[in-house]
Amino acid sequence: GEDVEQSLFLSVREGDSSVINCTYTDSSSTYLYWYKQEPGAGLQLLTYIFSNMDMKQDQRLTVLLNKKDKHLSLRIADTQTGDSAIYFCAESSLSGGYNKLIFGAGTRLAVHP
Amino acid sequence: DARVTQTPRHKVTEMGQEVTMRCQPILGHNTVFWYRQTMMQGLELLAYFRNRAPLDDSGMPKDRFSAEMPDATLATLKIQPSEPRDSAVYFCASGLDLNGELFFGEGSRLTVL
């Protein structure tokens, strides 16, 4: 079945790089996503990668995709306190004729001085 | 600034009462999703609409939950009767059925006493 797994917590020092990892199961996923949720808010799309790519860079964010291992990672360079949030990995799964987003449980990133 | 609007933002009610949550999707979007977020279960998909038609509500407890889209600008999620285990944050999200990217509202936090 469809499943997305990610570690629950990550703590980093301000200025360091953060790497959040995710594994997914649906090899037919067309897109893979990273969403960010700040306290008291909804999820906001950070970035996404098409399944035929292995890397995408957007300013401080780098997404790496290993399709063979079904592994996705999000690297945040020069992590700031404003990056403290919950980060959700999601895969798009074609199920029942439509694209459904399957979310992981979320990784809570804590940035400390 | 187009965004998904949800009401109410917060709702406290007593067990057995009816609760209705409303969502205004982004104009022009043809897909609407309802998700529920709890600490224990993470993000659960409750219902999905495409072009106002319900396509998937398999994640929803049918005996007490109902979801409708009376028109393209309004989606509703109703719980009758509500129970304490329904306490959660309910998110509405809309999108275009192209790449699966979703835009989330800020959520309705429901507390059932």
Side-chain angles (χ1 to χ4, degrees):
Chain A
E2 311 137 338
D3 196 17
V4 177
E5 293 191 355
Q6 49 184 133
S7 53
L8 295 182
F9 298 102
L10 178 65
S11 178
V12 299
R13 186 174 300 171
E14 191 175 10
D16 287 351
S17 292
S18 307
V19 179
I20 303 172
N21 294 300
C22 166
T23 57
Y24 61 97
T25 55
D26 189 346
S27 58
S28 66
S29 290
T30 309
Y31 295 92
L32 295 135
Y33 304 82
W34 285 104
Y35 279 79
K36 177 183 180 183
Q37 184 181 30
E38 295 181 352
L43 280 70
Q44 185 177 23
L45 180 67
L46 266 184
T47 186
Y48 66 90
I49 188 167
F50 192 49
S51 59
N52 69 353
M53 298 169 66
D54 51 22
M55 187 180 93
K56 180 179 179 181
Q57 188 151 3
D58 183 2
Q59 299 183 330
R60 291 190 299 122
L61 305 178
T62 303
V63 178
L64 294 178
L65 173 61
N66 181 328
K67 205 171 174 184
K68 173 176 164 290
D69 294 336
K70 299 193 189 72
H71 182 266
L72 184 74
S73 68
L74 173 69
R75 179 176 179 270
I76 306 173
D78 188 24
T79 313
Q80 303 297 307
T81 54
D83 295 323
S84 294
I86 303 176
Y87 291 80
F88 290 89
C89 172
E91 62 174 352
S92 68
S93 178
L94 188 62
S95 171
Y98 69 92
N99 272 321
K100 181 167 67 172
L101 280 193
I102 308 296
F103 287 90
T107 299
R108 185 178 294 273
L109 175 65
V111 183
H112 56 88
Chain B
D1 185 24
R3 55 178 158 170
V4 175
T5 305
Q6 290 186 245
T7 57
R9 291 294 315 279
H10 302 274
K11 175 76 175 179
V12 180
T13 191
E14 291 187 345
M15 182 172 66
Q17 296 297 305
E18 177 178 302
V19 174
T20 299
M21 288 167 276
R22 293 176 172 81
C23 168
Q24 181 175 5
I26 292 174
L27 188 65
H29 282 183
N30 69 331
T31 63
V32 172
F33 292 79
W34 282 103
Y35 285 90
R36 175 169 65 182
Q37 185 179 37
T38 60
M39 288 292 292
M40 295 301 294
Q41 300 295 329
L43 270 171
E44 300 174 276
L45 177 63
L46 296 176
Y48 164 70
F49 291 80
R50 180 203 273 164
N51 297 326
R52 293 178 54 205
L55 291 191
D56 186 352
D57 60 3
S58 57
M60 211 162 62
K62 302 289 190 305
D63 55 338
R64 298 183 300 108
F65 283 60
S66 62
E68 294 180 348
M69 272 201 81
D71 62 60
T73 65
L74 177 64
T76 62
L77 180 67
K78 188 178 295 187
I79 309 173
Q80 169 62 18
S82 58
E83 296 181 1
R85 60 181 166 148
D86 301 328
S87 298
V89 181
Y90 291 81
F91 287 103
C92 174
S94 72
L96 287 170
D97 196 21
L98 296 172
N99 64 7
E101 177 184 355
L102 292 183
F103 293 80
F104 280 76
E106 295 194 315
S108 294
R109 180 176 293 276
L110 173 65
T111 303
V112 183
L113 302 174

